[in-house]
Amino acid sequence: MSCFCLSEISLCIVCPVTSLKTDTDRELSGVLQGTEESSTEEKGPEPGPNDGPGNQGRTREVEPRARSRPFSLRDCLLKYPLFFSNLLFTVLGLVVLALGLWGLINKESFAQEKIGQISTDPMLVFVMLGLVLSTLCLSGCVGALRENCCLLQVFSATVLLLVAAQVLAAIVAYSLQGQIEGYLRSGMLAAMVRYQDDLDLRFITDEIQIGLQCCGADNYRDWEVNMYYNCSAPGVLSCGVPATCCVDPLENGTVWNSQCGVGSQQLDEFSAQSVIFLGGCLGGMSRWIEQHTGLIGAVGIVLLGVQIITLFITTRLMDNIQCIKLQDNNI
């Protein structure tokens, strides 16, 4: 704005008015800007695409960004060996379980006339062993992979009970050696009674007699307990023994002679020793255990050590998981 002054008085009057007007404009501009900023803060941020009418007035929570835990050497030494070892034993347990079920189904053990004898079926041992092994190792496998402390606690508690049970069984077996021999004798005589009726018991008995080169429980005359090999039986097997008792059951090394033990119970020991094995399998088992005491002890210690190491790794892994959770909560 231009101003023409004709005198000093008018100049003195016009200039202060102009300066006052300029300061007033500056103060007014500052007040307007402050009003706009306060109105902006009261309105809040501009609504986004997901903010609808129903969401107005609500405080939006900022979701924490998930952090991925970096791969560490402790994971490599604890988590993955435990996972892969349990995965291997889970598969092994399922194989054993399938083998036991196949044996029971193949022999029709679930039939009405045979269901009463299923408790003495050897295949039931495979079923129970496979079920326990697969269930236990699966809990350890999933617990290690997902870092689930609940499953790992179940796994470690079960392994601890198994270790305690094995130690207790070893102590009882050592202190009751005489009674164990009586239990073995009763079990083998029961297997000989059902030799022709149960294929599994027949297979186990044959393998024992072939491997230990023995016949019967105490001697070859124990086969009288079998209704087919009893001397009062009317069949061709009367007063005989199975072919697995024979010294040389193969004729000319090629053909299996299933009748090589016929009539052997009627022979005296001097005549029978050239045809069949005279000694019983219980004595053979005792001699085998005495000869392999060191090997049996080493295998038992190794198995027990593996379970203790597994228990230690599981405990350390659970401590690691708990420590990481505490760190995450503190952050």
Tab-separated table of all heavy atoms in Angstrom, residues 32-61:
chain	number	residue	atom	x	y	z
A	32	LEU	N	-5.303	-18.270	13.951
A	32	LEU	CA	-6.016	-19.140	13.005
A	32	LEU	C	-5.286	-20.464	12.818
A	32	LEU	O	-5.891	-21.529	12.751
A	32	LEU	CB	-6.187	-18.410	11.664
A	32	LEU	CG	-7.136	-17.218	11.671
A	32	LEU	CD1	-7.128	-16.515	10.319
A	32	LEU	CD2	-8.540	-17.656	12.041
A	33	GLN	N	-3.951	-20.430	12.720
A	33	GLN	CA	-3.192	-21.668	12.559
A	33	GLN	C	-3.325	-22.550	13.792
A	33	GLN	O	-3.477	-23.763	13.708
A	33	GLN	CB	-1.724	-21.345	12.310
A	33	GLN	CG	-1.471	-20.717	10.936
A	33	GLN	CD	0.002	-20.395	10.740
A	33	GLN	OE1	0.809	-20.610	11.645
A	33	GLN	NE2	0.331	-19.882	9.556
A	34	GLY	N	-3.265	-21.952	14.987
A	34	GLY	CA	-3.423	-22.742	16.212
A	34	GLY	C	-4.792	-23.365	16.308
A	34	GLY	O	-4.967	-24.483	16.780
A	35	THR	N	-5.803	-22.628	15.832
A	35	THR	CA	-7.164	-23.178	15.855
A	35	THR	C	-7.292	-24.374	14.934
A	35	THR	O	-7.920	-25.386	15.250
A	35	THR	CB	-8.161	-22.094	15.454
A	35	THR	OG1	-7.984	-20.970	16.297
A	35	THR	CG2	-9.587	-22.602	15.552
A	36	GLU	N	-6.671	-24.303	13.752
A	36	GLU	CA	-6.723	-25.419	12.797
A	36	GLU	C	-6.007	-26.640	13.350
A	36	GLU	O	-6.474	-27.780	13.213
A	36	GLU	CB	-6.095	-24.986	11.472
A	36	GLU	CG	-6.934	-23.946	10.717
A	36	GLU	CD	-6.243	-23.518	9.432
A	36	GLU	OE1	-5.113	-23.992	9.196
A	36	GLU	OE2	-6.835	-22.724	8.690
A	37	GLU	N	-4.846	-26.461	13.997
A	37	GLU	CA	-4.103	-27.593	14.540
A	37	GLU	C	-4.879	-28.258	15.668
A	37	GLU	O	-4.951	-29.495	15.761
A	37	GLU	CB	-2.757	-27.115	15.066
A	37	GLU	CG	-1.810	-26.683	13.949
A	37	GLU	CD	-0.502	-26.154	14.512
A	37	GLU	OE1	-0.385	-26.097	15.776
A	37	GLU	OE2	0.401	-25.833	13.740
A	38	SER	N	-5.504	-27.435	16.535
A	38	SER	CA	-6.279	-28.038	17.632
A	38	SER	C	-7.484	-28.782	17.118
A	38	SER	O	-7.857	-29.836	17.626
A	38	SER	CB	-6.716	-26.941	18.615
A	38	SER	OG	-7.544	-25.986	17.946
A	39	SER	N	-8.113	-28.235	16.059
A	39	SER	CA	-9.262	-28.945	15.481
A	39	SER	C	-8.828	-30.239	14.825
A	39	SER	O	-9.528	-31.246	14.852
A	39	SER	CB	-9.980	-28.035	14.470
A	39	SER	OG	-9.104	-27.710	13.390
A	40	THR	N	-7.631	-30.238	14.237
A	40	THR	CA	-7.119	-31.477	13.623
A	40	THR	C	-6.841	-32.543	14.677
A	40	THR	O	-7.114	-33.729	14.499
A	40	THR	CB	-5.838	-31.179	12.824
A	40	THR	OG1	-6.130	-30.172	11.874
A	40	THR	CG2	-5.327	-32.420	12.122
A	41	GLU	N	-6.268	-32.150	15.833
A	41	GLU	CA	-5.990	-33.101	16.895
A	41	GLU	C	-7.271	-33.646	17.491
A	41	GLU	O	-7.359	-34.815	17.878
A	41	GLU	CB	-5.175	-32.426	17.990
A	41	GLU	CG	-3.762	-32.060	17.529
A	41	GLU	CD	-3.014	-31.313	18.621
A	41	GLU	OE1	-3.624	-31.026	19.673
A	41	GLU	OE2	-1.822	-31.033	18.419
A	42	GLU	N	-8.309	-32.789	17.580
A	42	GLU	CA	-9.573	-33.270	18.138
A	42	GLU	C	-10.256	-34.249	17.205
A	42	GLU	O	-10.874	-35.213	17.620
A	42	GLU	CB	-10.495	-32.091	18.415
A	42	GLU	CG	-10.022	-31.178	19.553
A	42	GLU	CD	-10.929	-29.976	19.728
A	42	GLU	OE1	-11.883	-29.839	18.932
A	42	GLU	OE2	-10.682	-29.189	20.654
A	43	LYS	N	-10.128	-34.023	15.912
A	43	LYS	CA	-10.782	-34.930	14.964
A	43	LYS	C	-10.079	-36.274	14.905
A	43	LYS	O	-10.680	-37.294	14.621
A	43	LYS	CB	-10.799	-34.303	13.567
A	43	LYS	CG	-11.729	-33.113	13.459
A	43	LYS	CD	-11.706	-32.569	12.057
A	43	LYS	CE	-12.655	-31.375	11.918
A	43	LYS	NZ	-12.619	-30.807	10.548
A	44	GLY	N	-8.778	-36.289	15.170
A	44	GLY	CA	-8.050	-37.539	15.125
A	44	GLY	C	-7.586	-37.819	13.710
A	44	GLY	O	-7.788	-37.038	12.778
A	45	PRO	N	-6.936	-38.968	13.498
A	45	PRO	CA	-6.421	-39.320	12.178
A	45	PRO	C	-7.552	-39.571	11.217
A	45	PRO	O	-8.676	-39.894	11.587
A	45	PRO	CB	-5.605	-40.595	12.447
A	45	PRO	CG	-6.207	-41.162	13.678
A	45	PRO	CD	-6.676	-40.010	14.484
A	46	GLU	N	-7.224	-39.438	9.983
A	46	GLU	CA	-8.215	-39.665	8.945
A	46	GLU	C	-8.611	-41.124	8.913
A	46	GLU	O	-7.780	-42.022	9.110
A	46	GLU	CB	-7.643	-39.269	7.582
A	46	GLU	CG	-7.357	-37.792	7.466
A	46	GLU	CD	-6.836	-37.420	6.091
A	46	GLU	OE1	-6.733	-38.346	5.260
A	46	GLU	OE2	-6.547	-36.253	5.871
A	47	PRO	N	-9.866	-41.399	8.702
A	47	PRO	CA	-10.314	-42.806	8.690
A	47	PRO	C	-9.680	-43.564	7.542
A	47	PRO	O	-9.555	-43.052	6.430
A	47	PRO	CB	-11.840	-42.688	8.525
A	47	PRO	CG	-12.056	-41.348	7.919
A	47	PRO	CD	-10.982	-40.465	8.432
A	48	GLY	N	-9.290	-44.797	7.835
A	48	GLY	CA	-8.710	-45.661	6.806
A	48	GLY	C	-9.776	-46.416	6.075
A	48	GLY	O	-10.980	-46.282	6.313
A	49	PRO	N	-9.330	-47.307	5.175
A	49	PRO	CA	-10.303	-48.078	4.384
A	49	PRO	C	-11.096	-49.059	5.213
A	49	PRO	O	-12.186	-49.454	4.843
A	49	PRO	CB	-9.424	-48.786	3.356
A	49	PRO	CG	-8.056	-48.806	3.963
A	49	PRO	CD	-7.954	-47.564	4.770
A	50	ASN	N	-10.542	-49.497	6.360
A	50	ASN	CA	-11.241	-50.482	7.186
A	50	ASN	C	-12.060	-49.850	8.291
A	50	ASN	O	-12.667	-50.552	9.096
A	50	ASN	CB	-10.230	-51.454	7.814
A	50	ASN	CG	-9.525	-52.266	6.758
A	50	ASN	OD1	-10.106	-52.554	5.720
A	50	ASN	ND2	-8.272	-52.639	7.027
A	51	ASP	N	-12.040	-48.484	8.374
A	51	ASP	CA	-12.787	-47.798	9.432
A	51	ASP	C	-14.159	-47.425	8.917
A	51	ASP	O	-14.297	-46.506	8.098
A	51	ASP	CB	-12.049	-46.537	9.877
A	51	ASP	CG	-10.708	-46.892	10.503
A	51	ASP	OD1	-10.608	-48.022	11.007
A	51	ASP	OD2	-9.799	-46.054	10.457
A	52	GLY	N	-15.150	-48.145	9.339
A	52	GLY	CA	-16.522	-47.889	8.927
A	52	GLY	C	-17.268	-47.168	10.002
A	52	GLY	O	-16.733	-46.818	11.060
A	53	PRO	N	-18.541	-46.946	9.761
A	53	PRO	CA	-19.349	-46.250	10.774
A	53	PRO	C	-19.440	-47.015	12.078
A	53	PRO	O	-19.527	-46.436	13.150
A	53	PRO	CB	-20.723	-46.121	10.101
A	53	PRO	CG	-20.453	-46.253	8.641
A	53	PRO	CD	-19.294	-47.159	8.519
A	54	GLY	N	-19.439	-48.379	11.974
A	54	GLY	CA	-19.578	-49.164	13.203
A	54	GLY	C	-18.337	-49.143	14.053
A	54	GLY	O	-18.374	-49.487	15.228
A	55	ASN	N	-17.189	-48.768	13.450
A	55	ASN	CA	-15.938	-48.765	14.191
A	55	ASN	C	-15.577	-47.403	14.729
A	55	ASN	O	-14.499	-47.222	15.299
A	55	ASN	CB	-14.796	-49.261	13.295
A	55	ASN	CG	-14.999	-50.698	12.878
A	55	ASN	OD1	-15.566	-51.460	13.645
A	55	ASN	ND2	-14.534	-51.058	11.699
A	56	GLN	N	-16.426	-46.391	14.496
A	56	GLN	CA	-16.112	-45.061	14.975
A	56	GLN	C	-16.256	-45.017	16.494
A	56	GLN	O	-17.163	-45.601	17.067
A	56	GLN	CB	-17.046	-44.020	14.344
A	56	GLN	CG	-16.834	-43.882	12.836
A	56	GLN	CD	-17.766	-42.855	12.232
A	56	GLN	OE1	-18.619	-42.296	12.929
A	56	GLN	NE2	-17.604	-42.614	10.938
A	57	GLY	N	-15.369	-44.280	17.122
A	57	GLY	CA	-15.418	-44.161	18.576
A	57	GLY	C	-14.648	-45.247	19.294
A	57	GLY	O	-14.556	-45.251	20.503
A	58	ARG	N	-14.124	-46.232	18.551
A	58	ARG	CA	-13.377	-47.316	19.175
A	58	ARG	C	-11.877	-47.050	19.041
A	58	ARG	O	-11.414	-46.527	18.028
A	58	ARG	CB	-13.704	-48.667	18.527
A	58	ARG	CG	-15.170	-49.072	18.688
A	58	ARG	CD	-15.383	-50.415	18.040
A	58	ARG	NE	-16.776	-50.834	18.155
A	58	ARG	CZ	-17.249	-51.956	17.631
A	58	ARG	NH1	-16.459	-52.767	16.972
A	58	ARG	NH2	-18.536	-52.262	17.781
A	59	THR	N	-11.158	-47.469	20.047
A	59	THR	CA	-9.709	-47.301	20.017
A	59	THR	C	-9.093	-48.485	19.304
A	59	THR	O	-9.305	-49.635	19.700
A	59	THR	CB	-9.156	-47.218	21.452
A	59	THR	OG1	-9.811	-46.149	22.119
A	59	THR	CG2	-7.654	-46.984	21.429
A	60	ARG	N	-8.361	-48.235	18.256
A	60	ARG	CA	-7.740	-49.304	17.503
A	60	ARG	C	-6.475	-49.782	18.205
A	60	ARG	O	-5.628	-48.988	18.578
A	60	ARG	CB	-7.391	-48.831	16.095
A	60	ARG	CG	-8.599	-48.542	15.223
A	60	ARG	CD	-8.177	-48.289	13.800
A	60	ARG	NE	-7.256	-47.143	13.723
A	60	ARG	CZ	-6.620	-46.799	12.624
A	60	ARG	NH1	-6.765	-47.516	11.524
A	60	ARG	NH2	-5.801	-45.753	12.610
A	61	GLU	N	-6.384	-51.099	18.375
A	61	GLU	CA	-5.222	-51.685	19.018
A	61	GLU	C	-4.187	-52.025	17.962
A	61	GLU	O	-4.505	-52.609	16.925
A	61	GLU	CB	-5.607	-52.960	19.778
A	61	GLU	CG	-6.567	-52.684	20.921
A	61	GLU	CD	-6.894	-53.966	21.638
A	61	GLU	OE1	-6.399	-55.018	21.178
A	61	GLU	OE2	-7.620	-53.913	22.642
